Amino acid sequence: QVQLQESGPGLVKPSQTLSLTCTVSGGSITTNPYYWSWIRQRPGKGLEWIGAITYSGYTYYSPSLKSRTSISRDTSKTQFTLQLTSVTPEDTAVYFCARDWAGRAQFGYWGQGTQVTVSS
């Protein structure tokens, strides 16, 4: 019943900011105990957790990406966003948004994913 959909530019230039939006339908992003996460998969690699924003608006980030990552939300639109700054070709990946149960990495609902390529 809960659905998530990623959207945003599929091509970003090196050194610029990658910006994606996840639109949630069939549920509220302010409902306890859900966390709302961003996850990516780079070519030939496994899934990598980027960060999350909780039902109360608190954020968590992967240590390896923390300095470049910002997650925010717009509760009126049931959306949350990802901004990844200073991107390089190594940031090329399929980016997913997903719902997490209480920060336990139990991702019950996923978006279909969106390809983002970093290239000049």
Side-chain angles (χ1 to χ4, degrees):
Q1 188 170 348
V2 176
Q3 294 181 291
L4 292 79
Q5 177 67 60
E6 304 89 348
S7 62
L11 180 64
V12 183
K13 296 180 178 180
S15 82
Q16 297 301 109
T17 297
L18 182 159
S19 297
L20 296 173
T21 296
C22 182
T23 299
V24 178
S25 61
S28 172
I29 63 173
T30 61
T31 298
N32 186 348
Y34 300 117
Y35 288 27
W36 303 91
S37 294
W38 287 100
I39 300 158
R40 71 180 182 181
Q41 186 166 31
R42 291 182 285 172
K45 299 182 179 180
L47 296 171
E48 178 184 17
W49 180 77
I50 299 168
I53 186 163
T54 75
Y55 60 91
S56 64
Y58 193 87
T59 52
Y60 295 92
Y61 302 109
S62 169
S64 64
L65 296 170
K66 184 177 182 179
S67 66
R68 299 194 292 129
T69 306
S70 179
I71 297 173
S72 59
R73 65 179 183 171
D74 184 340
T75 57
S76 67
K77 297 180 179 179
T78 62
Q79 295 178 331
F80 62 104
T81 63
L82 169 69
Q83 292 193 321
L84 184 66
T85 64
S86 303
V87 298
T88 74
E90 292 185 1
D91 293 309
T92 293
V94 176
Y95 285 77
F96 299 90
C97 55
R99 192 181 78 175
D100 183 8
W101 178 270
R104 295 173 179 261
Q106 298 176 1
F107 303 108
Y109 293 91
W110 295 69
Q112 65 182 2
T114 186
Q115 171 71 41
V116 179
T117 299
V118 179
S119 176
S120 60

